[in-house]
Amino acid sequence: MSSGPSHTERIEQTRRDKDEFFRTGDESPIPVAQRGSFAGLTYFPVDATYNVPASLVEERTAEPVIIELATSRNTVDRLARVGTISFRLGGTGYKLTAFATAAEGLTRLFVPFGDQTNRQETYGGGRYLNLTRTPTGLYDLDFNVAYNPYCVYDVNYTCPLPPSENRLAVAINAGERMPAGH
């Protein structure tokens, strides 16, 4: 009896689906004039060591704590700080602040992060993770699905930059890489 696609197969299928969306989707961030020549996104190889368990410690406040994050267009985005996600990579503990956007409310977590690959192998402004909220506060944090913000592909998008506490002192060699020509 088959247990379904492996972790690597699921990630690779997600990547193929995203490439197709970027080529043909009405909401694609690739400018229409460039979609015909779009060869697909560039990724690090899928690596299970970047798929780690994580736990969220939520902030317990009567009102949401609103944080202003700088953006790619020298403006600010106001996001609600939900709490801190803790995880381990290579035996070292790390934390990232998780946010909620007004559009998605508290059903999803938005986790912008920077790491030691920024400016060389990945977008200098950092990458993003999205997590579906769980009732337990336990998460499957998979950096293999880390993605570039849309402003990488079209400067008309405004993208929040990770706050300083979300700048990791480690290279995250997983997820999307910098597109060719950037």
Side-chain angles (χ1 to χ4, degrees), residues 36-148:
S37 62
F38 177 69
L41 298 172
T42 306
Y43 297 95
F44 288 99
V46 177
D47 184 342
T49 61
Y50 289 103
N51 182 18
V52 297
S55 61
L56 173 70
V57 175
E58 292 190 46
E59 291 193 8
R60 303 285 184 204
T61 58
E63 295 293 321
V65 176
I66 304 299
I67 303 295
E68 291 186 343
L69 295 181
T71 72
S72 58
R73 296 181 74 171
N74 296 319
T75 60
V76 294
D77 264 3
R78 295 172 50 83
L79 300 173
R81 187 173 59 209
V82 176
T84 304
I85 294 179
S86 299
F87 60 97
R88 297 185 74 72
L89 277 175
T92 302
Y94 297 96
K95 292 182 181 185
L96 291 169
T97 301
F99 299 92
T101 64
E104 297 198 338
L106 294 178
T107 61
R108 293 186 47 85
L109 298 175
F110 172 64
V111 185
F113 71 95
D115 69 278
Q116 298 299 304
T117 67
N118 297 155
R119 291 187 176 80
Q120 292 89 27
E121 297 176 272
T122 62
Y123 173 57
R127 293 178 289 164
Y128 300 161
L129 289 168
N130 293 319
L131 302 171
T132 301
R133 291 292 298 266
T134 68
T136 63
L138 301 176
Y139 291 86
D140 182 26
L141 188 63
D142 193 349
F143 287 100
N144 291 288
V145 296
Y147 65 96
N148 290 316

